[in-house]
Amino acid sequence: MMQEIDKEGLPKHIAIIMDGNGRWAKQKGAMRVFGHKNAIQSVRETTEACAELGVKYLTLYAFSTENWNRPRKEVDALMKLLVSTIRKETDTLQKNNIRLLTIGATEQLPPICQKELQEAIEITAPNTGLTLILALSYSGRWDIEQAVKKIAQKVEKGELKASEINTQTIEAHLSTCGIPEPELMIRTSGEFRISNFLLWQLAYTEIYITPTLWPDFRKKDLYDAIVSFQQRERRFGKTSEQIQTEKKKNKVKTFA
């Protein structure tokens, strides 16, 4: 399947809702945390595949603001798993020239999680390959809310006029400022919803749903999603005829 991928038409940014860990564990007759532990291999393979292909950004929805409402034991186990995973994988990120970033209200995470994340972010900051973004204590509504608050504060201080607020203003205050919008969003486990993930940023993102539960997701599954993406026509509100005309014009410019 990798051979079918057009390296010139890769999505620059892939976002993934990693769903199905609990169901996977239940099918095995185990506790939910067993699914979370086995999901680490899926994260590793997906990140590695994106780096190998030349994808520039990969955002993984690791922990939503709503996930804080889960049973305390599960949340605690997830936080411990996060810390141990970061410690183990930082060297791997370094070896593969991968930069780590986070988005979300990470100040809500336990201090030890914040410390490990910050250290990994600082260590990998010079890397120039894939940027791996972990969405932690994140939700799309939170992102828009905090952006609106920042903009409102600037208006109150007289630094910005309400009449000057536009799309670019909002984007500049989102947690993803400076990061291109995802071109492809993958959701595992067969659920058809975006679960409060990157609500602003997914406006024109191609969505790919797979029934595969996240702990079973491997490189081939990622390749399938990318091939599906490359077979689609992205029109952004335009007609197919307009898109085809623009492509022809671009080809003429290329050969001119």
Side-chain angles (χ1 to χ4, degrees), residues 146-147 150-151 154 166-178 200:
Q146 62 87 31
K150 289 177 183 176
I151 293 168
K154 288 186 176 180
N166 55 26
T167 298
Q168 290 71 35
T169 309
I170 296 169
E171 289 175 349
H173 292 82
L174 292 170
S175 63
T176 52
C177 177
W200 178 279

Side-chain angles (χ1 to χ4, degrees), residues 200-217:
W200 178 279
Q201 298 87 340
L202 292 178
Y204 277 101
T205 302
E206 296 295 324
I207 297 176
Y208 179 86
I209 308 294
T210 174
T212 303
L213 300 177
W214 179 246
D216 289 328
F217 194 88

Side-chain angles (χ1 to χ4, degrees), residues 178-218:
I179 299 168
E181 294 180 353
E183 293 170 276
L184 171 63
M185 193 278 278
I186 301 168
R187 178 163 190 151
T188 59
S189 86
E191 298 290 349
F192 287 81
R193 58 178 178 271
I194 57 174
S195 297
N196 205 358
F197 182 44
L198 298 173
L199 296 180
W200 178 279
Q201 298 87 340
L202 292 178
Y204 277 101
T205 302
E206 296 295 324
I207 297 176
Y208 179 86
I209 308 294
T210 174
T212 303
L213 300 177
W214 179 246
D216 289 328
F217 194 88
R218 293 294 180 266

Side-chain angles (χ1 to χ4, degrees), residues 11-41:
K12 288 183 181 134
H13 186 177
I14 297 175
I16 303 180
I17 298 177
M18 307 180 292
D19 194 21
N21 294 350
R23 273 167 284 175
W24 186 89
K26 190 175 181 181
Q27 289 176 4
K28 309 288 183 185
M31 300 289 285
R32 291 176 61 87
V33 69
F34 181 67
H36 298 313
K37 287 179 179 177
N38 280 274
I40 294 171
Q41 182 60 30

Side-chain angles (χ1 to χ4, degrees), residues 4-250:
E4 297 178 35
I5 295 174
D6 174 14
K7 293 290 185 70
E8 299 299 317
L10 283 172
K12 288 183 181 134
H13 186 177
I14 297 175
I16 303 180
I17 298 177
M18 307 180 292
D19 194 21
N21 294 350
R23 273 167 284 175
W24 186 89
K26 190 175 181 181
Q27 289 176 4
K28 309 288 183 185
M31 300 289 285
R32 291 176 61 87
V33 69
F34 181 67
H36 298 313
K37 287 179 179 177
N38 280 274
I40 294 171
Q41 182 60 30
S42 303
V43 171
R44 188 179 294 121
E45 284 210 21
T46 302
T47 303
E48 186 179 272
C50 284
E52 290 170 349
L53 286 169
V55 174
K56 296 300 182 184
Y57 297 87
L58 172 65
T59 298
L60 301 178
Y61 202 9
F63 193 84
S64 73
T65 52
E66 290 81 9
N67 287 154
W68 289 113
N69 297 318
R70 289 189 175 184
R72 188 68 204 174
K73 284 181 69 175
E74 182 178 352
V75 172
D76 288 344
L78 278 168
M79 293 300 112
K80 288 178 183 176
L81 185 60
L82 175 62
V83 170
S84 63
T85 301
I86 294 167
R87 284 175 178 168
K88 290 176 184 176
E89 299 298 327
T90 300
D91 284 345
T92 303
L93 295 177
Q94 277 293 84
K95 289 175 185 176
N96 289 282
N97 195 28
I98 297 170
R99 177 176 62 143
L100 179 68
L101 293 178
T102 61
I103 56 172
T106 53
E107 68 277 4
Q108 296 178 355
L109 299 173
I112 185 61
C113 289
Q114 295 182 49
K115 178 177 177 291
E116 293 293 334
L117 280 168
Q118 190 55 41
E119 286 182 3
I121 288 169
E122 290 174 2
I123 290 169
T124 63
N127 295 341
T128 57
L130 172 72
T131 295
L132 173 63
I133 305 159
L134 298 181
L136 291 161
S137 193
Y138 176 90
S139 77
R141 288 180 175 175
W142 165 86
D143 205 357
I144 295 169
E145 178 186 313
Q146 62 87 31
V148 170
K149 285 179 179 177
K150 289 177 183 176
I151 293 168
Q153 287 170 357
K154 288 186 176 180
V155 173
E156 284 181 349
K157 293 176 182 177
E159 298 173 2
L160 181 69
K161 293 179 181 178
S163 59
E164 295 173 334
I165 299 171
N166 55 26
T167 298
Q168 290 71 35
T169 309
I170 296 169
E171 289 175 349
H173 292 82
L174 292 170
S175 63
T176 52
C177 177
I179 299 168
E181 294 180 353
E183 293 170 276
L184 171 63
M185 193 278 278
I186 301 168
R187 178 163 190 151
T188 59
S189 86
E191 298 290 349
F192 287 81
R193 58 178 178 271
I194 57 174
S195 297
N196 205 358
F197 182 44
L198 298 173
L199 296 180
W200 178 279
Q201 298 87 340
L202 292 178
Y204 277 101
T205 302
E206 296 295 324
I207 297 176
Y208 179 86
I209 308 294
T210 174
T212 303
L213 300 177
W214 179 246
D216 289 328
F217 194 88
R218 293 294 180 266
K219 289 185 180 182
K220 181 187 178 300
D221 298 290
L222 178 72
Y223 301 153
D224 288 341
I226 293 174
V227 168
S228 173
F229 166 83
Q230 293 183 333
Q231 292 171 345
R232 304 180 192 184
E233 182 180 67
R234 308 191 74 216
R235 296 192 297 274
F236 300 97
K238 298 179 181 179
T239 66
S240 293
E241 290 74 18
Q242 286 176 298
I243 297 298
Q244 293 306 315
T245 299
E246 288 175 4
K247 285 182 179 179
K248 288 177 183 177
K249 286 181 180 178
N250 289 333

